[in-house]
Amino acid sequence: MNRSKKDRILDAAEQLFSERGFDGVSMRNVADTAEVGLGLVTYHFTTKDVLFEDVVTRRAEVLNSERRKLLSELDNPSLEELLEAFFEPYRRFIASGSKGWRAYARLHAILTQDSRWTDLAARSFGAVALEMVERIMMAEPAISRGEAVRGYVHVIGIMVSVFAETGLIDRFSDGAISSRDVATSISPMVRFGAAGIRALAISETAASAPLVTLNS
Amino acid sequence: MNRSKKDRILDAAEQLFSERGFDGVSMRNVADTAEVGLGLVTYHFTTKDVLFEDVVTRRAEVLNSERRKLLSELDNPSLEELLEAFFEPYRRFIASGSKGWRAYARLHAILTQDSRWTDLAARSFGAVALEMVERIMMAEPAISRGEAVRGYVHVIGIMVSVFAETGLIDRFSDGAISSRDVATSISPMVRFGAAGIRALAISETAASAPLVTLNS
DNA sequence: GTCTATAATCAGATAGAC
DNA sequence: GTCTATCTGATTATAGAC
């Protein structure tokens, strides 16, 4: 059977939103790409905002459940094991070649960077984020809650820039590294993030003197 | 004297683009905010694309020249000193309370994340980026060029997410950390980034076995 | 340099036929 | 569920007056 027209609309919207952002896409645009009438889009989703939300939450639920599953299997994990379990489902979905998941990863970058969607982002990813912060604190007992949050947020900043495959790294490495080769990006990202978080923990006990003099 | 109307247009455009992205802003919108006629906007900038480019390049030139100046003063710096010099001008501009610079930082996040502006980003920040990669390799001789590029790109991912002040960290830390307190974010960011880059260097010699099994 | 007027197109949302 | 038609208003870009 064909996938339903509702799914076709979600797929088209996902693709277009990921390429041109919320405001760069019109409802007509979505309808045309999905090859359905405009009325059907508003029948299913009422407004453009609802459509965007539904696009985001659809795969967020899949991602969250996979992440929870992997995290629940970890017993007293190191930071590296923790981050690997966090990245692994996303990596698997993207590396499967799914056009939808690759579009979703770009959308994810838009979501975390735009304050208009902070609420939606918190609803979609907040629960697993809090679980990650707790787990970071267990893996690295010397860290404070504040620094664990900071470490997690930095990891997210790296993750979305890597999974969004913007081509920045291709450019600066003269093609030696491809941003589309997500699989080989995971291991460096895990090591970078784990070492970074550890550096945040250490700093609080030892090097708590500010490196930067504040003169403003 | 009042600042020129051309500058008022650039300021208005910067503010609006940073809040709603390229497609979320209309030329009329810019004209109204700048309190000038619509025709004057197209007289000075012809098209919306040119306006966006000019907004980006205006402060990029200021930022680049300050960064180059600080970098040129460093003699055989550690990774921490290198990153601190890289962040410091941006921190100073943002912490000065300048509304324009804070808007610009959000715009910077949009720029690095959207593949439509990869060319513009490379033109605006590419030269200093290459200098940073060279400096990273000097500070950490064990690292390959590819991994130095990767480390730099990760640092940029963290930097834009921090300077964009999206409020993500406020939310997850229950207000214990404010994303708007950019000054106190620098020192952790420096330590996180430096430790992360070192972990990339080490991994190439020692732990080169992949942490993730590739099954796709 | 500055602004008004307008052309040609496209936007989101709704009403209603099938 | 599906689509056509349409309302109302906004969009970029241009032409031309001052």
Side-chain angles (χ1 to χ4, degrees), chain B residues 114-167:
Chain B
D114 190 332
S115 61
R116 285 147 81 202
W117 307 113
T118 310
D119 265 16
L120 176 58
R123 261 182 288 136
S124 303
F125 302 109
V128 172
L130 287 180
E131 184 176 342
M132 280 298 290
V133 170
E134 298 299 326
R135 294 286 213 136
I136 288 171
M137 291 172 72
M138 285 166 68
E140 201 65 26
I143 206 168
S144 71
R145 183 178 182 81
E147 294 303 306
V149 170
R150 196 192 295 279
Y152 174 76
V153 170
H154 287 184
V155 166
I156 295 298
I158 297 170
M159 184 196 76
V160 298
S161 82
V162 166
F163 286 167
E165 307 173 276
T166 55

Side-chain angles (χ1 to χ4, degrees), chain A residues 84 113 171 191 203 211, chain B residues 84 113 119 191 203 211:
Chain A
E84 198 190 324
Q113 162 264 296
R171 197 154 196 137
R191 292 192 309 265
S203 68
L211 285 168
Chain B
E84 199 191 325
Q113 162 266 296
D119 265 16
R191 292 192 309 265
S203 68
L211 285 168

Side-chain angles (χ1 to χ4, degrees), chain A residues 1-9 11:
Chain A
M1 279 299 289
N2 272 338
R3 57 198 199 301
S4 73
K5 294 204 177 183
K6 188 171 178 182
D7 281 338
R8 289 215 324 253
I9 293 169
D11 291 342

Side-chain angles (χ1 to χ4, degrees), chain B residues 6-149:
Chain B
K6 188 172 178 181
D7 281 339
R8 288 215 324 253
I9 293 169
L10 281 170
D11 290 342
E14 180 174 67
Q15 195 63 38
L16 291 170
F17 282 140
S18 80
E19 287 167 3
R20 289 180 262 166
F22 181 79
D23 295 293
V25 176
S26 73
M27 295 290 262
R28 268 184 168 74
N29 227 320
V30 172
D32 290 350
T33 305
E35 294 178 298
V36 300
L38 173 61
L40 192 61
V41 180
T42 50
Y43 166 74
H44 280 302
F45 302 98
T46 323
T47 68
K48 198 173 157 184
D49 286 81
V50 173
L51 174 59
F52 187 81
E53 272 205 40
D54 285 1
V55 166
V56 170
T57 50
R58 179 174 61 153
R59 291 197 206 265
E61 284 164 11
V62 178
L63 188 57
N64 283 334
S65 99
E66 282 300 300
R67 277 177 167 165
R68 270 191 230 271
K69 188 169 152 236
L70 256 68
L71 288 175
S72 73
E73 288 167 0
L74 292 178
D75 180 40
N76 200 25
S78 66
L79 282 176
E80 279 82 359
E81 290 169 320
L82 196 57
L83 292 181
E84 199 191 325
F86 184 71
F87 296 142
E88 170 59 17
Y90 222 155
R91 179 208 68 79
R92 195 183 339 122
F93 292 138
I94 293 171
S96 74
S98 158
K99 200 180 167 195
W101 275 104
R102 292 183 51 206
Y104 190 77
R106 290 197 298 276
L107 202 57
H108 199 155
I110 293 173
L111 201 71
T112 57
Q113 162 266 296
D114 190 332
S115 61
R116 285 147 81 202
W117 307 113
T118 310
D119 265 16
L120 176 58
R123 261 182 288 136
S124 303
F125 302 109
V128 172
L130 287 180
E131 184 176 342
M132 280 298 290
V133 170
E134 298 299 326
R135 294 286 213 136
I136 288 171
M137 291 172 72
M138 285 166 68
E140 201 65 26
I143 206 168
S144 71
R145 183 178 182 81
E147 294 303 306
V149 170

